[in-house]
Amino acid sequence: MEKTNKNNPLDGITKEGTQELVEKTLDLYPEKARGKRAPHMSANDPEDSGCAIRSNRKTIPGVMSARGCAYAGAKGVVWGPIRDMVHVSHGPIGCGYYSWGTRRNLVDGITGVDVFSAMQFTSDFQEKDIVYGGDKKLEVLCREAKELFPLAKGISVLSECPVGLIGDDINAVAKKSSEELDVPVVPCNCEGFRGVSQSLGHHISNDTIRDHVIGTREFSEPIGEYDVAIIGDYNIGGDAWASKKVLEELGLKVKAIWTGDGQIEHIAATHQVKLNLVHCYRSMNYMAKYMEETYGIPWMEFNFFGPTKIAESLRAIAARFDEKVQENAEKIIVKYAEPMQKVIDEYRPRLEGKRVLLFVGGLRPRHTIGAYEDLGMKVVATGYEFAHNDDYERTYPEMDNGTLVFDDASEIELEKWIEDFRPDLVGSGIKEKYPMQKAGVPFRQMHSWDYSGPYHAYDGFPIFARDMDMAINSPTWGLVKAPF
C-alpha cells in the first residue's frame, strides 16, 4: 500500500514531542518490562520504517492489556452473529453466559423461530463432564436443538478451554450429528487458551467455514455480474443494513453478509459472487484471500465511516464495474452531499479542533479517523487491542505525522497519555469506559457504539456526529473534577 505523508495540522504535536512522551511512558516500567513494551508504541511517520509497531504478541500481565480470547473471537465475532444457526458454547456455563448478546449484532426475524443468535445455548459442563468427557452430552444437545428449533439451518459447536484440556472430540460428534440431523453441524476448536488474543479465534473460524461451509450450497437465483458479498461486517447497531442500502443503490446486489444478520446458506454460496467487499480486514482477510485463490473472486476493502471515506469507497468499488455503476456512484455522492453537509454544519462548530484518542479492536482505530476529520476533530493517538502488522501498515497513512500509534496499551499508559494529550474524547471499550468518565474525560464505547448506531454509511453519519457531540458537550462534565 502506498504511503502518504499527511500535513500535520495539530497544534503542539510533533514527532519529537510524541517520542519524548513515549520515553516518559516507558520510564514508568522497571527495566525488564520497559524492554518488552518499547516496541509497541511510537510517534507516527509513514515514511520511516522505525515507526513500525510490534503487534500480535502474548499479553504480559501488568504490561499489556487483557484482550479477548480465541473463543471470544469465534463466538462473539464470527459465528455468533449468524442469525439462523444454533451456536453452542461447549463447556462450563461462564464463557457462554458472558459472551451472550454483548455486541448488539442486529438481526431480522423472530427469536426462537427462525432467528437464534440472541439465544444462549450451552452444554453446561459440570464436574462429571470434566472427568468423564462431554461427547455424549453434546450429541444429546444437538438432537434437542434440532427438535426444539426445527427451522434452525445449522449448529456451530464452539469449544471452551476445558474441552481442549480433556480431549473431547467435537469434530467426530459434529460429523455424526450432521449426518443424523441432516443439517450442518460445524465444529470450531477455539479453546480460549489458544493463541495470544481473539484474533486467532477469527482465523480458526475462517478455517472452519472454509472446511465445512463454503461451496456446499448455491444461490437459488442465477448469478449476475453485479452480485457481491459484504465480508467482515457484524451489523452492530444496524451497520450492515446501512451499508447494504448504499451498495444496492449503487446497482449492486448483496448476496451474503459475513456474518452480521448472516444466513448460513448464503454464506455457503458466497463462492459464486463476483466481488467480496471487506469491511473488517482483521477478522475476515483470511477468507477473502482464500476465496480469491480458490474461486478467483477478487476482494477489496471499503470504508463507509463519514462522507469523505464513503465517497472514496463508492468510487473505488464502482471502478470494478461498468460505466453504469460508476455513474450511479457519482449520483449517490451528489444526492447525499447536501444532507451530509447539513450534519457537518450543525455539529462541526461544536466539535472543531477537538482531540480524540482511540483504543479499539478490529478496524475502528483507522476506519473511523475520516469520520472524525469530517467533523473537524483530530485523532491524536490510535491503537489496536489485537492487531497484526498489516493493520498498522494500513494505519500509518491515515494518521498525521507525530501522532501516537500504539499496540495493546496498559491502563497506566492510557492514563499517562490522557494526562499529556488532554483529549476531548476517548473511544475505547467497556473496561476503559468508567475509569475515563470518573476522570472527567468524555467517552464513547466504540466496540458496540454505546447502545447506539448505526455509524456506517449515510444513514450512520448523522448518528455518529450526534453521539460525539453528545459525549463531548454534555453539561455533566462541568460537575466532574478531573484528577489532573
Side-chain angles (χ1 to χ4, degrees):
M1 182 176 185
E2 183 181 354
K3 295 179 179 179
T4 58
N5 191 353
K6 297 176 69 176
N7 294 327
N8 185 5
L10 299 169
D11 293 337
I13 293 183
T14 64
K15 181 179 178 182
E16 294 74 21
T18 299
Q19 200 57 46
E20 182 180 346
L21 174 61
V22 168
E23 295 301 318
K24 291 179 179 178
T25 303
L26 294 172
D27 286 342
L28 298 171
Y29 291 111
E31 183 177 354
K32 184 177 180 179
R34 177 192 175 99
K36 291 179 180 293
R37 192 61 190 142
H40 297 275
M41 62 185 82
S42 180
N44 186 54
D45 186 346
E47 297 182 352
D48 181 3
S49 60
C51 176
I53 301 296
R54 184 178 298 173
S55 59
N56 197 33
R57 296 296 191 272
K58 179 182 177 181
T59 292
I60 303 170
V63 179
M64 300 173 79
S65 74
R67 296 170 288 186
C69 64
Y71 164 84
K75 169 65 160 55
V77 178
V78 177
W79 281 103
I82 300 176
R83 77 188 196 196
D84 58 358
M85 294 182 73
V86 167
H87 304 292
V88 177
S89 296
H90 187 42
I93 188 66
C95 292
Y97 184 84
Y98 283 102
S99 61
W100 177 18
T102 57
R103 294 196 74 219
R104 303 181 58 250
N105 311 105
L106 302 190
V107 294
D108 184 20
I110 302 173
T111 298
V113 178
D114 58 350
V115 164
F116 314 97
S117 53
M119 301 178 72
Q120 158 65 346
F121 299 90
T122 177
S123 52
D124 186 25
F125 262 42
Q126 304 296 314
E127 185 177 357
K128 62 182 177 61
D129 301 308
I130 299 295
V131 175
Y132 297 108
D135 287 354
K136 299 290 185 184
K137 195 171 192 179
L138 180 58
E139 286 185 35
V140 173
L141 189 158
C142 291
R143 292 192 195 101
E144 288 181 348
K146 180 59 178 173
E147 180 180 353
L148 291 169
F149 305 101
L151 295 184
K153 300 294 187 180
I155 300 171
S156 69
V157 180
L158 305 145
S159 54
E160 301 172 18
C161 286
V163 172
L165 296 173
I166 66 177
D168 265 20
D169 191 351
I170 68 169
N171 299 279
V173 174
K175 182 178 181 180
K176 178 181 177 181
S177 298
S178 184
E179 294 171 353
E180 175 186 333
L181 304 174
D182 195 29
V183 295
V185 181
V186 184
C188 188
N189 298 277
C190 55
E191 296 86 5
F193 56 73
R194 299 183 64 179
V196 302
S197 73
Q198 70 185 68
S199 179
L200 184 63
H202 308 153
H203 201 159
I204 294 169
S205 298
N206 281 218
D207 288 349
T208 60
I209 294 173
R210 176 198 66 197
D211 295 340
H212 298 276
V213 179
I214 190 73
T216 61
R217 296 283 191 278
E218 292 189 353
F219 292 113
S220 58
E221 300 175 354
I223 295 300
E225 59 181 314
Y226 302 120
D227 288 353
V228 301
I230 298 176
I231 306 293
D233 194 318
Y234 304 102
N235 206 34
I236 298 171
D239 281 343
W241 295 335
S243 295
K244 181 180 178 182
K245 175 182 174 181
V246 177
L247 291 171
E248 295 194 337
E249 193 172 352
L250 187 62
L252 308 181
K253 187 169 184 179
V254 178
K255 301 289 286 186
I257 301 175
W258 293 40
T259 57
D261 196 37
Q263 297 168 268
I264 188 63
E265 292 182 350
H266 293 180
I267 292 171
T270 304
H271 64 291
Q272 296 182 286
V273 302
K274 301 301 182 182
L275 177 67
N276 281 324
L277 296 171
V278 177
H279 181 58
C280 181
Y281 174 86
R282 178 69 277 127
S283 62
M284 281 289 176
N285 72 87
Y286 318 103
M287 275 307 298
K289 292 175 181 177
Y290 168 75
M291 284 189 275
E292 181 177 45
E293 294 167 358
T294 306
Y295 302 105
I297 303 173
W299 63 274
M300 63 177 292
E301 286 187 82
F302 73 103
N303 181 352
F304 276 0
F305 285 106
T308 298
K309 291 298 183 181
I310 296 172
E312 289 178 7
S313 290
L314 284 175
R315 289 183 173 122
I317 294 168
R320 300 292 188 107
F321 295 92
D322 55 28
E323 290 184 2
K324 177 183 176 182
V325 175
Q326 294 169 27
E327 290 172 2
N328 286 344
E330 298 305 322
K331 291 177 182 177
I332 292 169
I333 293 168
V334 171
K335 172 185 174 181
Y336 287 100
E338 184 177 349
M340 293 301 102
Q341 189 60 47
K342 286 183 179 179
V343 173
I344 292 170
D345 291 344
E346 178 179 358
Y347 291 105
R348 184 160 183 152
R350 297 162 60 85
L351 297 173
E352 186 80 46
K354 300 296 185 182
R355 296 183 172 197
V356 184
L357 183 150
L358 298 174
F359 176 41
V360 210
L363 53 96
R364 295 167 184 81
R366 70 175 182 275
H367 268 209
T368 58
I369 292 172
Y372 284 113
E373 291 178 341
D374 285 337
L375 295 170
M377 304 171 74
K378 303 299 178 184
V379 178
V380 298
T382 195
Y384 297 82
E385 291 184 344
F386 46 84
H388 295 204
N389 291 345
D390 46 359
D391 292 298
Y392 285 99
E393 289 294 326
R394 288 165 165 76
T395 303
Y396 302 141
E398 298 295 329
M399 293 291 288
D400 291 299
N401 264 354
T403 50
L404 177 66
V405 182
F406 59 90
D407 182 69
D408 201 31
S410 66
E411 296 303 314
I412 194 171
E413 292 168 1
L414 290 174
E415 290 179 11
K416 178 66 176 175
W417 299 336
I418 287 167
E419 182 178 351
D420 189 89
F421 282 124
R422 302 290 177 90
D424 300 283
L425 179 72
V426 172
S428 191
I430 193 66
K431 67 181 182 293
E432 291 82 27
K433 178 176 181 175
Y434 299 107
M436 296 302 165
Q437 290 181 334
K438 290 176 181 177
V441 181
F443 187 95
R444 289 300 299 180
Q445 212 274 59
M446 294 297 285
H447 286 285
S448 61
W449 305 156
D450 238 340
Y451 317 106
S452 186
Y455 281 178
H456 284 197
Y458 291 116
D459 285 352
F461 182 65
I463 300 171
F464 174 88
R466 178 203 66 190
D467 287 357
M468 300 309 126
D469 175 60
M470 180 173 61
I472 291 175
N473 293 307
S474 170
T476 56
W477 302 117
L479 307 175
V480 179
K481 184 178 181 180
F484 44 74

